[in-house]
Amino acid sequence: MLRLSAAASLLAVVLPLCFTSSHGQQCARFENGEVIFEPFPDSSTPVISEEYNSNGLGAWYGMASGFINTVRTGNLPYDQVKEVLNATGITESLLASDGGGSESEGIDPVGLLQELSFWFASIIAVTIIGGILATVFLITGCCFWCCRCCGNCGGSRLQEDKGYHPALMVVFSVILALFTCVLLGGVVLAYFSNQQFYDSVTNVGNVLNSTLDEAVQYVDDTLGEADFILCQYNGISDQVLNEADDFADSLRGQVDFFKEMVYPLLDEAVSIDDDITTVERALSNVSNVTAVLQTQGETLRTMVMGLHTALTDLSTDCALVAVPNLPCDQIPDTSEIDTGANFDELPDVGSELDEVSNALDVDILGAVQMGNDTFNTQLRDIDDDITESLNSLKSEVDSFNMQVNDAIMDVETSINKVAVANEGATCDGQIENVGQIRACITDYWQYVEEYDIYVFAFGVVFSCLALIVIILVAVGIILGVTGFRKYTPPHERSSISNCGGIFLLVAVGFAFLVGFLLLILSCILFFLSTPLLKICQSLAGPEYELFVEIVDNSAVWGGSILGQYILQDPNIPLPISGILRDCSNDTALYEAFKLDNRPDFDLSDVANITQAIPDLQSIFDEVNIAVNFSDDSFVTGDIRNSLDDFKNSGVNTVNISAFQQQIEAQLVTFDISSTREQLMTLRGTIDTQCGNVSQCDDLISDIDNAISQLDAISNQTVMLQTQVDLVDQGVQVLSDKANATVASAEEILSRTDMILSDLNGAEGFEFFEESATETYDRVVGYVDTFENHLLTSIRTELGGCEPVYRIYTYLHNQLCRAPVDGLVGFWWSLGFCALLLVPTIVFSVIAAHFYLRMKD
């Protein structure tokens, strides 16, 4: 029975790895026996951007940050942070399950406070200086108001009338106006900085939701890439099935080709059985009739010899009769009386008949039917094996595909359960999906938004404090300039001009108070924002100092935190800073997160596809496609022996010409009818001429005897001629059939040998072994190519983690940098306004001397 392992069982053990993905993209194609994988589809458009938008205040924030970095150079107090973490036991709790973490030690509060004070020294110093300036403002303002209450506010009211006063008034008014405009700019900067802080805090909910959207989109894109690889896997699977179908079709086609050779041969074997039977009958008839002819021919010869003797005696007796003029010369010439054909010279066909009879001892029809049944059984076994193997292949493919698709479906279901925001999700109980996270953001952040408006209003109020001074100064300048008369003496200045001077003095009084408040708030915010700014800067890339020094420092935690929770081994370093740097270059998820170190994510198991199936080579080595078709496969040994016996029977060498020579020869050499008629005429003549002569009576009696012999010879020749005709028919059959039938037998035997040679040789099923090898190599080539592609895709392409970097950068910008920049810009703007109040006060007092009505 044909074991068709190479047709399908060979391919059934090959990994059943669409040519188009679920989104309609072409993912793989096959050209010239090679598979070509299409690149991954483009990722979705990002929901968020890692670009930071400072709303045009980047330079202003940069100045403020530069001031802080100048005051507090260097990094955060990482050593002190490590001491606190170690003392609190946090490092133990994070890696306690693996015995990691450094052993906690007692903390020296005094020493720690001293070390921290060193770090905060410059910040505290600048804060104190700012407080001193605020105190100076406050004391100076109190003095100014006290003087005002005593009527001496603004200095002496005496002023000489000099010609250059108008020019000085213009110069100081312009200078005061310029400082006022700059002060207004500081107020605007403070307002926008406060607005940024407010917007950044209010927008936290949207930021978190956008981040979740980006994360969900990243997961969807990664699943899409995995689906793309699955599509490529399905393409390989389909191609393997196509290869199996093509191979099976090729085998079936070759089987059909051999059917077209064998079935006509069997038909000829059936036909030659009839021909051999015909030849055997002809031989039998010829053999039997030949014996009869030889016996009856001898009888005829005896009879002809008797006639010859009788005529000779008749001639002698006629000459002795004493009757004149007897026509003795009319007696037939005995030299012509003889037999023609010599049947003893006919060839003996007995041995040929025996051989042909032996050939017919075999039931050729039955043997042919048996051979036909055997061949059909083998062919049916071949077809059954093909069908069974293909069904087995498809079953294994379907089973493996179902496992792969079920596994992917389970992953997608689990991810969707977390990633899909279900409508109506609430922030109750354990957080299990994105919808609940969004609900929690909405539920809790509304309280922050509710109170953030008060913070914003507080910032606006402080921003607008300087506006009081600006308005008073602006009104004073406008009234002073419009009321000033060039040629009017100082003691006669108009009420409008005098009112302008009073406004400036009032502005000065408020300026001291506003300056005090602005400096106090600026110092407080400076002290608070400086550590926040340093923290934000330490979280920024590409250095990521906070991660490098604290979070990623295995000496702090006694191992790697992410190594423990992602790779399940704290001894494997997995720094967040390294992940972010890799993700900034869109490194694949597998490489960025070092998943090759995770025990259950070893790519050697993922990529070694052949481990999931039986060993291909060992199964292929067991394949035995070649079927040893024997003599009994279709033309049985009995048929071959029968045909050999017939071929070697010599029936084709029977001397047909010898038969034809005797058959064509005359039975007797004389004409029986004319001889009898001649004797009858002679008898009548003698009877008439002799009368009553006794000798004549004897002579007539001899003539009657000769006539009787002629009649017997005539009857004998008739009988012989019948037998001769039978021999002639048999010989004619032998002449027509013997050579052709022997040639047919030889051809059947020759074609049988040729077909068997073809079936068992290079033209037959050996060809399928080679074809199976080629198919095996090609299919394994597909699998190897996919393995390499799968490894490369997972290591370098699948899940490019730029979205992780984008999410981190976006969160850093929106939750850290934006509010801190707004806070820093706000106090920097307030401090700037407070410092601008000094020249504003000075020039307001000077300008007021040119607006106020002086004493005479």
Side-chain angles (χ1 to χ4, degrees), residues 764-790:
F765 288 95
E766 286 183 8
F767 164 78
F768 290 101
E769 289 184 333
E770 298 177 359
S771 179
T773 302
E774 293 176 359
T775 303
Y776 168 80
D777 292 339
R778 186 164 55 252
V779 169
V780 170
Y782 294 153
V783 175
D784 290 340
T785 302
F786 181 77
E787 286 181 3
N788 296 331
H789 171 71
L790 179 62

Side-chain angles (χ1 to χ4, degrees), residues 152-407:
N152 293 321
C153 179
S156 175
R157 286 297 192 93
L158 297 175
Q159 189 181 48
E160 296 182 6
D161 186 9
K162 296 181 179 181
Y164 55 80
H165 284 171
L168 291 176
M169 184 275 298
V170 172
V171 170
F172 289 121
S173 296
V174 171
I175 293 175
L176 179 59
L178 291 176
F179 276 109
T180 304
C181 291
V182 175
L183 179 61
L184 179 61
V187 172
V188 173
L189 289 173
Y191 175 82
F192 281 113
S193 297
N194 182 58
Q195 181 69 47
Q196 173 153 331
F197 179 80
Y198 170 75
D199 290 341
S200 62
V201 174
T202 305
N203 199 42
V204 166
N206 293 331
V207 169
L208 295 178
N209 284 322
S210 298
T211 302
L212 291 175
D213 291 338
E214 179 72 17
V216 170
Q217 180 173 281
Y218 173 56
V219 171
D220 288 341
D221 287 345
T222 303
L223 289 177
E225 293 174 353
D227 175 70
F228 198 78
I229 293 179
L230 178 62
C231 163
Q232 295 169 339
Y233 153 83
N234 288 331
I236 296 294
S237 174
D238 292 343
Q239 187 65 16
V240 168
L241 290 177
N242 292 336
E243 294 279 353
D245 287 334
D246 292 344
F247 186 84
D249 291 341
S250 176
L251 184 56
R252 287 192 177 106
Q254 192 70 359
V255 168
D256 291 339
F257 171 74
F258 284 117
K259 283 181 180 180
E260 294 176 359
M261 297 176 64
V262 170
Y263 287 152
L265 187 65
L266 294 176
D267 292 339
E268 291 181 14
V270 172
S271 176
I272 201 173
D273 178 64
D274 295 335
D275 293 340
I276 293 175
T277 301
T278 300
V279 170
E280 190 269 343
R281 289 173 181 171
L283 279 174
S284 178
N285 290 335
V286 168
S287 178
N288 294 332
V289 174
T290 297
V292 173
L293 283 176
Q294 289 174 342
T295 300
Q296 293 184 356
E298 186 62 30
T299 301
L300 177 63
R301 185 177 296 106
T302 300
M303 295 174 68
V304 170
M305 289 300 101
L307 177 62
H308 183 280
T309 302
L311 291 178
T312 301
D313 292 342
L314 179 62
S315 179
T316 302
D317 292 340
C318 183
L320 296 178
V321 176
V323 177
N325 298 322
L326 282 176
C328 292
D329 57 345
Q330 293 182 5
I331 296 173
D333 186 4
T334 56
S335 62
E336 296 178 359
I337 303 300
D338 199 356
T339 57
N342 185 4
F343 295 114
D344 292 334
E345 295 180 0
L346 291 178
D348 184 9
V349 294
S351 61
E352 289 84 351
L353 177 60
D354 292 339
E355 292 295 332
V356 173
S357 297
N358 291 335
L360 288 175
D361 287 342
V362 176
D363 183 6
I364 295 180
L365 290 178
V368 168
Q369 184 62 47
M370 181 184 297
N372 184 73
D373 293 341
T374 301
F375 187 68
N376 286 335
T377 299
Q378 289 176 322
L379 296 184
R380 184 169 57 252
D381 290 342
I382 292 174
D383 190 76
D384 290 345
D385 209 353
I386 294 174
T387 304
E388 180 182 353
S389 300
L390 286 178
N391 290 338
S392 176
L393 167 63
K394 293 175 181 179
S395 176
E396 291 188 28
V397 169
D398 292 340
S399 176
F400 198 81
N401 285 347
M402 185 176 298
Q403 295 177 17
V404 172
N405 285 282
D406 287 347

Side-chain angles (χ1 to χ4, degrees), residues 559-855:
S560 172
I561 298 176
L562 291 186
Q564 165 66 24
Y565 290 102
I566 294 181
L567 304 180
Q568 300 177 357
D569 187 352
N571 297 318
I572 300 176
L574 183 60
I576 297 177
S577 56
I579 292 175
L580 292 175
R581 292 190 193 99
D582 287 339
C583 289
S584 66
N585 298 318
D586 200 24
T587 304
L589 196 65
Y590 179 84
E591 183 175 347
F593 284 83
K594 298 182 179 180
L595 295 178
D596 54 324
N597 294 297
R598 185 177 173 90
D600 57 352
F601 207 83
D602 187 358
L603 272 190
S604 61
D605 294 332
V606 175
N608 194 4
I609 299 174
T610 56
Q611 289 186 359
I613 54 177
D615 180 52
L616 293 178
Q617 190 61 49
S618 63
I619 292 181
F620 180 71
D621 290 341
E622 296 176 359
V623 172
N624 181 22
I625 297 179
V627 179
N628 292 321
F629 283 91
S630 65
D631 294 344
D632 293 330
S633 295
F634 46 91
V635 176
T636 65
D638 290 340
I639 297 177
R640 292 180 65 90
N641 294 333
S642 176
L643 294 180
D644 279 332
D645 290 342
F646 178 75
K647 181 184 70 173
N648 298 322
S649 66
V651 68
N652 58 328
T653 62
V654 172
N655 192 353
I656 300 297
S657 61
F659 278 102
Q660 290 176 340
Q661 181 180 356
Q662 300 303 321
I663 291 172
E664 292 173 358
Q666 297 292 327
L667 294 177
V668 292
T669 58
F670 58 95
D671 186 354
I672 296 176
S673 297
S674 62
T675 300
R676 186 176 190 282
E677 184 176 341
Q678 187 177 357
L679 288 175
M680 290 297 293
T681 301
L682 178 60
R683 182 180 185 284
T685 302
I686 293 175
D687 184 48
T688 302
Q689 291 182 359
C690 286
N692 296 320
V693 179
S694 60
Q695 290 179 333
C696 289
D697 294 334
D698 294 336
L699 189 60
I700 291 173
S701 177
D702 290 339
I703 292 173
D704 290 337
N705 182 46
I707 292 172
S708 297
Q709 290 183 3
L710 277 175
D711 291 338
I713 290 172
S714 176
N715 293 332
Q716 185 68 19
T717 56
V718 172
M719 292 183 0
L720 275 175
Q721 189 60 48
T722 301
Q723 300 300 320
V724 168
D725 291 342
L726 291 176
V727 171
D728 186 28
Q729 293 175 2
V731 169
Q732 188 64 41
V733 170
L734 292 177
S735 176
D736 295 340
K737 287 286 187 180
N739 289 331
T741 305
V742 169
S744 297
E746 291 177 344
E747 181 181 2
I748 290 173
L749 292 174
S750 175
R751 285 170 58 190
T752 299
D753 293 337
M754 181 188 68
I755 293 173
L756 286 173
S757 176
D758 289 345
L759 283 172
N760 296 316
E763 299 297 327
F765 288 95
E766 286 183 8
F767 164 78
F768 290 101
E769 289 184 333
E770 298 177 359
S771 179
T773 302
E774 293 176 359
T775 303
Y776 168 80
D777 292 339
R778 186 164 55 252
V779 169
V780 170
Y782 294 153
V783 175
D784 290 340
T785 302
F786 181 77
E787 286 181 3
N788 296 331
H789 171 71
L790 179 62
L791 280 171
T792 302
S793 298
I794 293 177
R795 286 173 176 161
T796 63
E797 297 182 68
L798 181 63
C801 64
E802 184 181 9
V804 175
Y805 168 76
R806 185 161 52 244
I807 288 172
Y808 174 82
T809 306
Y810 177 72
L811 289 175
H812 176 266
N813 289 338
Q814 300 299 323
L815 302 185
C816 187
R817 188 174 177 182
V820 170
D821 276 356
L823 184 62
V824 169
F826 181 68
W827 70 254
W828 179 252
S829 300
L830 295 183
F832 178 73
C833 291
L835 294 178
L836 281 176
L837 287 175
V838 174
T840 301
I841 291 172
V842 173
F843 287 100
S844 293
V845 172
I846 295 174
H849 279 63
F850 294 95
Y851 298 156
L852 290 172
R853 185 182 296 125
M854 297 296 170
K855 294 181 180 179

Side-chain angles (χ1 to χ4, degrees), residues 46-63:
V47 178
I48 59 178
S49 173
E50 66 270 22
E51 298 296 329
Y52 176 63
N53 182 15
S54 62
N55 296 319
L57 298 178
W60 185 248
Y61 298 149
M63 292 171 62

